[in-house]
Amino acid sequence: MVDCTGEGVLFIEANADTTLENLGDSIQPMCPCYEELLYDVPGSGGILRSPLILIQVTRLMCGGFIFALRLNHTMSDAPGLVQFINAISEMAQGLSVPSLLPIWQRELLNARNPPRITRIHHEYEEVTNTKGTLMAMDENNLAHRSFFFDLKEIRALRNRLPASLGACSTFEVLIAYVWRCRTIAFAVDPDEVVRISCIINMRGKRGFDLPPGYYGNAFVYPASITKAGMLCKNPLEYAIRLLKKAKAEMSQEYMKSVADLMVIKGRPSFTLPGNYLISDLTHAGFGEVDFGWGKPVYGGAARALSNVSFCMRFRNSKGEEGNVIPICLPPPVMERFEQELKRMTKEAEPVRLITSKL
């Protein structure tokens, strides 16, 4: 529920004594000046009794600007946020009403009566760290890096896959590769269970009748599980098959089962130990937003989270097209992760690290 008090949102105007050219490839997650480009107004970051949105627009010396936004995620998912930003861009260019009107209708995704869990939900299982190797991550002591994969590097990874695997998206290839390297870097006990949760949106999927303009959260994140030893010792296609399996769980019944689980189990958090959540933002539309000055140099998430990464389109300062994946890990694990990336690609073009340290 939203209390419509008419108080508006937090909006910050700022100026920076730099240019887009000076920022170069740092215009991606995690930007070195992240905290200056999106000031965390004290007391504004809560879920309840807080502003729904925080926006900061920073003017640069070259005439460009950086538009940064923080959203209360209970309000919207990525497509809903893009819808909102596009509405701002349309009104900034003269429209009095957005071309796509917002629709609330959250009751469309209500739980059934009576609720019943009809699917297996590995993403919400209670996990005990039985072997002591599922490392908890301290948000205050994490290394942030972004890894850029150009088309040549992606092709090199694809060339290692057997024809029997069938068609694979770039997202599936890259995330499976990163998940495997990440698990190896954590040095998880071979018998420990690890999982990957793929965030899947129901918009555009068969059997879901969400009306155009619906901007609420409309996704689930089904998980596949495996023993760490199996993931680490098998070739890349093993991880890809697990990722495909997680994505294949998505159905209308699965979505209803999740809604019912929220009621029956009292809104549990997703599993944290040994779980890696990934989201494909390559088609979300952040890079297509135009406030009247053209498309952005970069549009996408500002940072990764301890257990969550995003895959986004990116063009580096050399004009090379590719995908960027931000990751944050404990410093020792990050070192091993980078070494594993290099080891797996030593026969192909090396993956390039975009240094964005925090």
Side-chain angles (χ1 to χ4, degrees):
M1 296 185 293
V2 177
D3 187 4
C4 299
T5 62
E7 295 177 88
V9 301
L10 292 171
F11 186 90
I12 301 170
E13 294 183 65
N15 295 287
D17 57 352
T18 189
T19 65
L20 281 174
E21 185 178 6
N22 288 340
L23 292 173
D25 278 344
S26 65
I27 309 175
Q28 42 77 45
M30 170 75 144
C31 183
C33 43
Y34 168 80
E35 293 181 348
E36 286 75 28
L37 295 174
L38 189 58
Y39 174 64
D40 184 10
V41 178
S44 68
I47 299 297
L48 303 177
R49 293 176 292 279
S50 294
L52 298 178
I53 294 172
L54 166 65
I55 295 174
Q56 179 173 326
V57 177
T58 304
R59 302 182 187 91
L60 305 176
M61 293 176 64
C62 59
F65 62 92
I66 297 175
F67 178 97
L69 181 149
R70 185 184 70 198
L71 174 77
N72 186 329
H73 211 328
T74 60
M75 290 296 300
S76 172
D77 56 14
L81 177 57
V82 171
Q83 178 187 336
F84 173 72
I85 297 175
N86 281 331
I88 295 176
S89 69
E90 289 179 340
M91 298 178 78
Q93 296 180 73
L95 287 186
S96 58
V97 178
S99 59
L100 182 60
L101 293 176
I103 292 178
W104 182 257
Q105 293 187 21
R106 304 301 166 98
E107 68 279 1
L108 293 174
L109 300 180
N110 278 357
R112 295 170 286 200
N113 188 15
R116 55 192 185 277
I117 301 173
T118 56
R119 293 290 186 270
I120 297 173
H121 297 285
H122 293 302
E123 65 273 27
Y124 292 109
E125 289 177 339
E126 294 185 16
V127 174
T128 56
N129 192 359
T130 55
K131 305 292 183 180
T133 58
L134 295 178
M135 184 186 298
M137 290 196 275
D138 180 3
E139 292 283 354
N140 297 316
N141 185 31
L142 294 176
H144 293 253
R145 304 283 191 277
S146 284
F147 296 88
F148 175 69
F149 302 83
D150 69 15
L151 300 180
K152 185 177 181 181
E153 293 156 354
I154 295 169
R155 187 164 53 249
L157 288 172
R158 287 184 179 279
N159 288 339
R160 298 185 174 193
L161 302 176
S164 60
L165 186 60
C168 299
S169 68
T170 296
F171 171 75
E172 290 168 343
V173 173
L174 290 181
I175 291 301
Y177 171 57
V178 168
W179 178 40
R180 185 174 182 274
C181 292
R182 183 179 182 272
T183 304
I184 293 172
F186 268 110
V188 180
D189 185 282
D191 289 328
E192 195 74 82
V193 173
V194 294
R195 63 199 70 216
I196 187 165
S197 295
C198 185
I199 297 175
I200 305 175
N201 205 286
M202 69 169 65
R203 290 175 177 83
K205 299 290 191 300
R206 185 186 305 174
F208 299 102
D209 298 319
L210 290 180
Y214 182 88
Y215 61 94
N217 290 294
F219 65 87
V220 292
Y221 29 84
S224 281
I225 62 174
T226 183
K227 287 188 175 182
M230 293 293 291
L231 176 63
C232 297
K233 74 178 183 181
N234 275 295
L236 181 61
E237 58 262 30
Y238 179 82
I240 294 177
R241 292 184 193 278
L242 287 171
L243 181 55
K244 285 177 172 288
K245 181 181 178 182
K247 293 174 65 176
E249 292 288 343
M250 177 59 167
S251 65
Q252 189 176 32
E253 183 61 31
Y254 194 93
M255 195 79 183
K256 290 179 179 179
S257 183
V258 171
D260 293 351
L261 181 147
M262 291 292 121
V263 172
I264 293 172
K265 296 193 174 183
R267 289 184 178 273
S269 174
F270 59 82
T271 304
L272 285 173
N275 193 11
Y276 185 39
L277 276 78
I278 46 89
S279 180
D280 184 2
L281 296 182
T282 56
H283 303 289
F286 289 108
E288 304 300 315
V289 174
D290 185 351
F291 293 101
W293 288 270
K295 295 179 181 179
V297 174
Y298 168 78
R303 56 177 295 180
L305 303 174
S306 58
N307 283 68
V308 185
S309 287
F310 307 94
C311 183
M312 296 165 288
R313 288 176 177 163
F314 186 69
R315 176 185 294 170
N316 64 18
S317 57
K318 298 179 182 179
E320 297 172 316
E321 298 281 352
N323 289 265
V324 64
I325 300 176
I327 295 173
C328 51
L329 295 167
V333 178
M334 181 64 79
E335 290 183 17
R336 295 195 295 268
F337 176 76
E338 292 182 35
Q339 292 170 2
E340 187 60 27
L341 283 180
K342 293 175 183 177
R343 189 192 69 79
M344 284 190 65
T345 56
K346 64 181 180 180
E347 296 178 1
E349 288 293 321
V351 174
R352 275 160 289 178
L353 165 65
I354 307 173
T355 303
S356 295
K357 299 181 180 180
L358 181 65

